[in-house]
Amino acid sequence: MTSMTLTPTTDELESLVGRQFPGGTYAVEPWRVWLTNDVIGAPQRTDGVAHPMFCYYAAMAGLGISIDEMFTLCYASADDGPMFGECDIQQLRPLEIGATYTVRGEITSAVRKQGTRTGTFDIVAFQLEVIAPDGEVSSIVSNSFIFPRRPQ
Amino acid sequence: MSTVPDPSIGDELPRLVIEAVDAEKMKTMAALLGDSNPIHWDVATVRELGMGDQPVNQGPNNLGYVMNMLGGWAGGAERIQEIRVRFLDNVFAGDCLEAGGTVTAISDDGTVECDVWLARDGTHPVLAGTASLILR
């Protein structure tokens, strides 16, 4: 038996915007690249260039909090049935195998919606930057989660 | 890498077929990502949740297939500048998937815009979006 988290007020929801994540680092380890390429069926490259999915993996792993902690921050839990919304990945410069990247980011929007069939739900979007050792931003990853809410 | 294409608006991108999504590879990805959600490896949990009889593929894997399709066409996945997608449905172990796309715009600077998609059995959409690639 599961129960939904208490629905936040619109003020509480909107106060999420601008909230920064702790951030962290992510190393593009060669063994991790090999296994990931094997899983998704990508070619094993020898030129040191990581698959663009590593933009996403680096961003999410370097966020500094777990997905469960992210849900808690957004007044929700896995039991509420949160769903992926959109995922946008900008690969400004391919990630390099063996390099360690710094990740920083924040919540960029939090809006309440009302669907005729789905009822009340909130969309919380966040943006993460993956920064190369030389300080340049290699990738920008923007994601959103959809949180179903109980009627108030 | 392979040769760079010279596309026209409306061109269909060469499709990439994944004959059957492999449940064992979901386990590897769960370990790689530290993903504790049992729907990716425990069939009993999937059944309890009423989601069927097969493990659910990780969403990023599905996006990875689309990137592979784009990279195979463009002469390397490093040519992908941006990809924006929505996840429309779950993919299960054993599913046959097809990734494809269409060229929608071409700029003088070599940037090509595409609609992209991933479909189960070539018809049921599970992911859709847009991508921007640099081909020069």
Side-chain angles (χ1 to χ4, degrees):
Chain A
M1 183 70 183
T2 59
S3 60
M4 294 184 82
T5 313
L6 206 59
T7 299
T9 65
T10 51
D11 283 347
E12 287 172 325
L13 181 69
E14 288 166 3
S15 74
L16 291 173
V17 178
R19 189 80 61 93
Q20 295 193 333
F21 300 115
T25 59
Y26 181 85
V28 185
E29 302 280 6
W31 63 270
R32 200 182 288 277
V33 172
W34 196 99
L35 288 171
T36 299
N37 287 340
D38 186 63
V39 166
I40 61 177
Q44 301 290 358
R45 297 177 63 155
T46 56
D47 57 2
V49 174
H51 192 279
M53 275 310 299
F54 274 87
C55 299
Y56 175 86
Y57 299 137
M60 296 305 289
L63 183 62
I65 59 174
S66 68
I67 292 296
D68 284 341
E69 289 169 326
M70 164 79 90
F71 293 164
T72 302
L73 181 67
C74 297
Y75 305 94
S77 77
D79 289 343
D80 297 331
M83 295 167 283
F84 266 122
E86 279 193 348
C87 177
D88 181 275
I89 297 172
Q90 294 180 56
Q91 181 177 231
L92 307 177
R93 201 170 77 177
L95 270 56
E96 295 176 19
I97 299 170
T100 298
Y101 292 81
T102 303
V103 178
R104 67 184 176 210
E106 64 180 28
I107 294 177
T108 51
S109 73
V111 294
R112 179 149 297 163
K113 302 272 189 180
Q114 187 75 38
T116 50
R117 286 191 306 165
T118 54
T120 304
F121 60 95
D122 294 339
I123 302 175
V124 179
F126 55 100
Q127 187 174 81
L128 303 164
E129 291 182 334
V130 180
I131 303 154
D134 64 6
E136 286 203 25
V137 177
S138 291
S139 176
I140 300 171
V141 175
S142 305
N143 280 336
S144 61
F145 281 108
I146 300 166
F147 297 102
R149 302 298 192 187
R150 69 168 72 183
Q152 287 184 305
Chain B
M1 303 297 291
S2 55
T3 56
V4 177
D6 182 18
S8 301
I9 293 173
D11 280 0
E12 294 276 329
L13 308 188
R15 296 186 181 187
L16 175 70
V17 176
I18 297 94
E19 294 290 350
V21 175
D22 186 344
E24 294 303 310
K25 293 191 171 177
M26 294 182 201
K27 295 175 186 174
T28 304
M29 186 54 81
L32 282 168
L33 298 179
D35 186 344
S36 62
N37 192 337
I39 63 171
H40 302 309
W41 70 81
D42 183 4
V43 173
T45 297
V46 178
R47 287 196 185 111
E48 280 175 23
L49 292 171
M51 299 175 74
D53 294 316
Q54 296 292 335
V56 180
N57 203 22
Q58 287 92 351
N61 293 355
N62 302 332
L63 178 51
Y65 306 144
V66 174
M67 287 178 167
N68 292 345
M69 179 274 297
L70 288 168
W73 170 69
E78 70 275 17
R79 295 185 182 276
I80 301 170
Q81 290 186 312
E82 183 169 9
I83 184 164
R84 174 186 288 263
V85 300
R86 284 177 183 269
F87 297 94
L88 305 174
D89 204 351
N90 286 323
V91 167
F92 297 92
D95 281 355
C96 176
L97 300 175
E98 203 168 26
T102 308
V103 176
T104 57
I106 300 170
S107 302
D108 291 340
D109 66 358
T111 304
V112 175
E113 308 288 337
C114 302
D115 287 338
V116 295
W117 50 264
L118 182 70
R120 182 186 302 127
D121 297 325
T123 56
H124 179 82
V126 294
L127 181 153
T130 57
S132 173
L133 300 95
I134 185 79
L135 296 186
R136 56 168 196 187

